[in-house]
Amino acid sequence: MKPSNLPQDPMIRQLVQSARASHVTRRGLLAGAGAGAAALALAACSTGGASGKPTAAKDQSASDKALTWANWQAYLDQDDAGKYPTLEAFEKQSGLKVKYDVAVDDNNTYYAKVKDQLALGKDIGADTVCLTDWMIARWIRLGYVQPFDEAKIPNKKNLVKNLQDVDFDPGRKKSLPWQSGFAGICWNKEKLPNGLKSVDDLWKPELKGKVGVLSEMRDTMGLIMLQQGVDISQKFSQADFDKAIETLTKEVNDGQVRNIKGNSYLNDLKSGDTLAAICWSGDITQLNAEAGDNWEFAIPEAGGTLWSDNFVIPIGSSRKANAEKLIDYYYEPEVAAEVAAWVNYITPVEGAKEAATKIDPKLAENQLIFPDEETLAKVKIFHSLTPAEEQRYQADFQKVILGA
């Protein structure tokens, strides 16, 4: 199957050739759709700022042999003792002490916590952080990240060719991808033996009050818009978005949707409070591993979304060189493969696929780990929004969360 868009896209083609797809939970726990959490996220929607951009902190890496890495939950290889093998190896190799901080629960809520410090050029308590493309675009636009010293990241040469240029960071001067993955639909196989094929299937009467959707606007709204025939990878109209928001609002108001959450939607699937959801593919693999093979993930017939999370160095970090050393380390193919074998998301590192195959040849057989061109033809990347569009769409989405 070769639609006219994604299979010909060189970025997607490169991902097929040298990367791996989703597996294991990436998204941190969001407290749910309570008014407090939603209000916090809504406050984070502001994309404006002072006309002057903050000044980067002076680098103290030569004397300060430590750094803090903020990331999503369960997004790094971890052993049974709760330690991070690749990170421990980096500490031993580099002589640096790393605090791995599972501080990111959701792009908007994390931004709400740190945006005031960023605007002033202050330390946010992280020397590198991994956030999703659209949020990284905002940080770069507002001058909230430091440009890389590329001489200190020689392994940048291993970045897959067609991820080397993105519209929000041409030449990848200020960001480098960490992992990528899919958003789609999932269901309880025992309760729904015939499965689901589309987002519209979530609105069936027998699932009333048993459906969960994600608090990430681009994933939930992206899937609904794809179902309605909108190409989210291209500029769409306000009317297109409004039609999708009307659908979501109706399903929430009618009680079809039980909740709008971050990764805590997994608890509802596990308890049986929800039987189906808009979800992240890796989460379902993890859920099956932890609680029995009871759930199935699928990219809807109308399409799913493809996202990436990226390393950046915040403007207030005084440990820039230390952070660059860490990023460079994770761009070694063997290290990237070890991470991928645990988290099972798409890795942007050239050569990681071959190294991962040596770890476990079966990894290459799973379409959610190494998707082929046909699988990637089914997904779209939500196109970059203008600041005004982002604020308007996110605000509309948060109104639905507040009412859920």
Side-chain angles (χ1 to χ4, degrees):
M1 182 173 71
K2 290 190 175 185
S4 60
N5 39 34
L6 283 177
Q8 285 75 33
D9 187 322
M11 170 187 161
I12 300 301
R13 196 176 298 277
Q14 187 68 22
L15 282 171
V16 174
Q17 293 170 346
S18 59
R20 329 186 42 210
S22 149
H23 197 90
V24 105
T25 180
R26 145 199 189 256
R27 306 289 188 166
L29 293 175
L30 183 61
L40 183 62
L42 185 56
C45 293
S46 174
T47 57
S51 56
K53 294 183 178 179
T55 302
K58 183 179 179 181
D59 192 11
Q60 304 290 341
S61 295
S63 58
D64 188 352
K65 299 300 182 182
L67 74 146
T68 298
W69 176 11
N71 207 350
W72 305 77
Q73 182 190 36
Y75 212 15
L76 183 64
D77 55 300
Q78 192 170 7
D79 63 20
D80 292 340
K83 297 181 178 180
Y84 305 103
T86 59
L87 197 56
E88 288 189 326
F90 170 74
E91 289 180 312
K92 186 177 296 186
Q93 171 186 307
S94 66
L96 298 175
K97 181 66 177 176
V98 182
K99 177 184 177 182
Y100 186 71
D101 188 11
V102 182
V104 183
D105 55 1
D106 170 271
N107 284 289
N108 273 317
T109 55
Y110 183 78
Y111 179 63
K113 296 173 187 175
V114 301
K115 64 186 180 72
D116 292 340
Q117 297 100 301
L118 288 169
L120 295 172
K122 301 297 185 182
D123 179 17
I124 65 169
D127 303 294
T128 187
V129 60
C130 296
L131 298 170
T132 310
D133 290 332
W134 60 271
M135 181 58 74
I136 294 301
R138 181 190 298 179
W139 285 36
I140 291 174
R141 184 174 68 246
L142 296 176
Y144 291 170
V145 303
Q146 301 187 45
F148 296 137
D149 179 348
E150 298 194 18
K152 293 188 169 115
I153 312 179
N155 283 327
K156 181 185 175 184
K157 69 180 185 296
N158 295 327
L159 175 61
V160 293
K161 182 178 180 181
N162 291 294
L163 286 180
Q164 292 173 7
D165 276 300
V166 288
D167 60 359
F168 59 85
D169 185 19
R172 289 290 187 178
K173 303 295 185 181
K174 300 176 181 179
S175 68
L176 280 170
W178 166 240
Q179 307 288 323
S180 304
F182 298 130
I185 54 176
C186 65
W187 61 91
N188 184 307
K189 293 189 291 186
E190 180 183 354
K191 302 294 185 180
L192 302 170
N194 294 326
L196 305 177
K197 294 182 178 179
S198 72
V199 171
D200 279 349
D201 287 343
L202 296 173
W203 317 142
K204 289 181 176 180
E206 58 266 33
L207 286 176
K208 185 171 183 177
K210 294 292 185 179
V211 174
V213 301
L214 295 170
S215 61
E216 282 283 340
M217 183 270 287
R218 284 162 177 79
D219 290 331
T220 290
M221 296 305 296
L223 262 65
I224 294 173
M225 293 174 76
L226 286 166
Q227 178 65 46
Q228 295 176 348
V230 178
D231 183 353
I232 61 171
S233 69
Q234 305 297 321
K235 187 173 180 63
F236 49 79
S237 69
Q238 179 70 47
D240 291 330
F241 188 85
D242 288 347
K243 182 180 178 182
I245 244 343
E246 287 171 7
T247 295
L248 180 60
T249 301
K250 177 183 183 300
E251 300 304 337
V252 169
N253 291 344
D254 289 350
Q256 186 75 16
V257 173
R258 184 182 183 91
N259 50 48
I260 304 174
K261 291 186 176 181
N263 222 48
S264 52
Y265 77 91
L266 293 172
N267 296 330
D268 296 326
L269 287 172
K270 203 179 295 186
S271 69
D273 286 343
T274 58
L275 300 180
I278 291 177
C279 63
W280 293 299
S281 53
D283 289 354
I284 305 310
T285 305
Q286 168 95 355
L287 186 60
N288 280 330
E290 292 179 350
D293 186 21
N294 296 322
W295 297 272
E296 188 162 342
F297 170 88
I299 296 170
E301 289 179 335
T305 63
L306 173 67
W307 43 261
S308 295
D309 291 328
N310 307 268
F311 282 113
V312 289
I313 300 175
I315 193 71
S317 169
S318 62
R319 299 160 166 174
K320 179 172 178 285
N322 293 347
E324 289 165 337
K325 187 173 290 187
L326 176 83
I327 295 168
D328 185 66
Y329 169 77
Y330 279 100
Y331 265 72
E332 295 177 10
E334 293 76 18
V335 176
E338 189 173 346
V339 172
W342 196 88
V343 303
N344 293 323
Y345 279 103
I346 300 171
T347 174
V349 179
E350 189 77 57
K353 178 179 180 179
E354 292 76 12
T357 302
K358 295 177 183 178
I359 296 173
D360 182 359
K362 292 182 179 180
L363 294 176
E365 301 173 9
N366 190 328
Q367 285 300 299
L368 299 182
I369 298 174
F370 288 105
D372 59 21
E373 193 164 317
E374 183 176 354
T375 296
L376 287 171
K378 302 174 183 176
V379 298
K380 299 276 189 177
I381 298 171
F382 203 106
H383 82 89
S384 295
L385 302 174
T386 67
E389 288 171 335
E390 181 180 333
Q391 186 167 356
R392 183 171 65 247
Y393 296 156
Q394 188 67 43
D396 287 346
F397 185 64
Q398 292 300 330
K399 288 177 185 177
V400 181
I401 291 181
L402 285 166

